Amino acid sequence: MAASDVIPESLVQCLSDHSQSSQSISSVTYFPNNSSYTTVLHSYIRNLRFMSPTTPKPSFIIAPTHVSHLQASVICSKIHELEIRIRSGGHDYDGLSYVSAAPFILLDMFNLRSISVNIDDQTAWVESGATLGELYYRIAEKSKIHGFPAGVCPTVGVGGHLSGGGYGNMMRKYGLSVDNIIDAQVVDVSGRVLDRASMGEDLFWAIRGGGGASFGVILSWKIMLVAVPEIVTVFRVEKTIEQGATDIVHQWQYVADKIHEDLFIRIVVLPVIERAIGQ
Ligand SMILES: Cc1cc2nc3c(=O)[nH]c(=O)nc-3n(C[C@H](O)[C@H](O)[C@H](O)COP(=O)(O)OP(=O)(O)OC[C@H]3O[C@@H](n4cnc5c(N)ncnc54)[C@H](O)[C@@H]3O)c2cc1C
């Protein structure tokens, strides 16, 4: 089924039959003839190469607001032989969360982005559609001495990031994001909602690094917060090759793993755009 094809009424009915929310699934489903379809599709495309007219488009987009919308999407796409692409922050470098050669629907997680921080037991539940920046902000609202080890870019989505590993400025001290996840809620291929106890340790291990979309739709994650100092010092040094950048990169490799774990040094290699002569 291409994006331009007529959607069978039986598919629409199937989605409705399997949804048990006060908000109907049809109100969060965008067909190509809907005026919001293109805006919704484009809003989380972070790689503009995949925004061209020739990029394959989803038959329709569902932006669930309730777990039963996820279950209905999984069950009905299976019946109607449509692939599912799951998108959280849309930062996949290859557009894997919103492009497919086969007919597909897009499950867009942006409505499922709630974050609940519990400082008493130093944990938080975060839904996959939240961004890392939102997560950091909600933790900081509750406590200046707690944080979570994850990526540097605030617009990266929790869904893709936590299911892929997640490294950032605190990785020397606390490891990857996945080292600090203690539970998750997943909708599996049969539409069942599973948590860590019911999914078992093998699946729980796989979704923390194996890429979530291979195993199901991850609705939310329970994370352990980590201790951070109230004041953190950050500095940045920029050097060109002429100023000895090569030596710095060379030396860094000998000290990076030996310095104190509270110190994280990141090297970013960037091209310098030469100014035209006379400018
Ligand atoms: C500008 C930029 C900066 C980055 N910085 C860092 C960094 O500092 N550290 C780091 O470790 N990585 C970084 N990354 C890589 C980033 O963590 C991965 O690309 C990550 O997969 C993006 O997650 P997302 O939810 O934004 O992407 P998406 O494109 O939405 O998803 C990525 C993959 O995860 C799957 N997926 C998404 N949500 C779900 C879900 N709910 N259930 C199941 N599967 C799901 C998608 O189907 C897709 O296969 C960066 C990427 C970019 C583009």
Side-chain angles (χ1 to χ4, degrees):
M1 187 191 301
S4 53
D5 290 347
V6 176
I7 309 295
E9 188 53 38
S10 56
L11 173 51
V12 178
Q13 191 59 49
C14 177
L15 290 169
S16 167
D17 290 346
H18 287 90
S19 302
Q20 286 135 25
S21 158
S22 54
Q23 181 167 22
S24 71
I25 194 165
S26 61
S27 67
V28 290
T29 303
Y30 303 89
F31 296 104
N33 62 1
N34 183 302
S35 57
S36 301
Y37 173 89
T38 305
T39 314
V40 173
L41 178 62
H42 285 181
S43 55
Y44 283 89
I45 293 184
R46 302 296 186 191
N47 187 340
L48 299 185
R49 281 183 192 161
F50 302 115
M51 213 193 254
S52 80
T54 55
T55 306
K57 307 280 186 296
S59 297
F60 55 92
I61 304 165
I62 300 180
T65 53
H66 187 263
V67 65
S68 70
H69 295 165
L70 294 174
Q71 296 173 283
S73 307
V74 170
I75 292 165
C76 301
S77 346
K78 235 167 81 176
I79 294 171
H80 287 266
E81 297 182 345
L82 286 163
E83 286 197 3
I84 297 183
R85 288 290 172 269
I86 312 159
R87 181 165 75 175
S88 289
H91 279 63
D92 192 281
Y93 295 106
D94 294 316
L96 294 182
S97 55
Y98 51 88
V99 179
S100 171
F104 71 107
I105 70 163
L106 172 57
L107 211 46
D108 215 332
M109 301 292 286
F110 61 82
N111 282 323
L112 292 168
R113 63 196 308 142
S114 78
I115 299 165
S116 162
V117 178
N118 184 343
I119 293 300
D120 290 340
D121 69 358
Q122 308 193 46
T123 64
W125 271 102
V126 52
E127 287 185 335
S128 282
T131 63
L132 294 183
E134 288 165 351
L135 175 60
Y136 298 153
Y137 187 84
R138 293 295 170 216
I139 297 170
E141 265 184 339
K142 290 270 178 83
S143 164
K144 302 291 173 227
I145 54 165
H146 288 88
F148 182 68
V152 179
C153 175
T155 55
V156 164
V158 162
H161 191 71
L162 268 56
S163 58
Y167 64 88
N169 294 339
M170 285 196 271
M171 70 176 168
R172 296 202 65 232
K173 193 169 173 75
Y174 293 116
L176 303 176
S177 302
V178 292
D179 297 319
N180 297 280
I181 295 172
I182 51 177
D183 207 338
Q185 281 191 300
V186 178
V187 174
D188 78 355
V189 66
S190 305
R192 295 177 302 173
V193 183
L194 307 173
D195 64 4
R196 180 174 182 170
S198 51
M199 79 178 81
E201 288 303 303
D202 280 352
L203 181 55
F204 185 62
W205 175 80
I207 58 169
R208 289 173 300 150
S214 309
F215 305 101
V217 187
I218 296 147
L219 168 63
S220 58
W221 308 84
K222 187 176 188 184
I223 58 173
M224 271 313 280
L225 306 182
V226 299
V228 294
E230 203 165 336
I231 297 175
V232 176
T233 304
V234 180
F235 60 93
R236 179 186 177 118
V237 179
E238 289 184 19
K239 295 280 181 201
T240 61
I241 289 179
E242 293 74 24
Q243 290 167 334
T246 311
D247 283 344
I248 292 177
V249 174
H250 183 75
Q251 291 299 331
W252 170 75
Q253 297 173 78
Y254 293 98
V255 299
D257 62 327
K258 298 185 182 64
I259 46 181
H260 194 278
E261 62 178 16
D262 282 351
L263 178 60
F264 175 70
I265 305 177
R266 177 176 186 234
I267 286 195
V268 181
V269 181
L270 294 172
V272 177
I273 299 166
E274 297 282 350
R275 287 188 181 192
I277 295 169
Q279 282 193 320

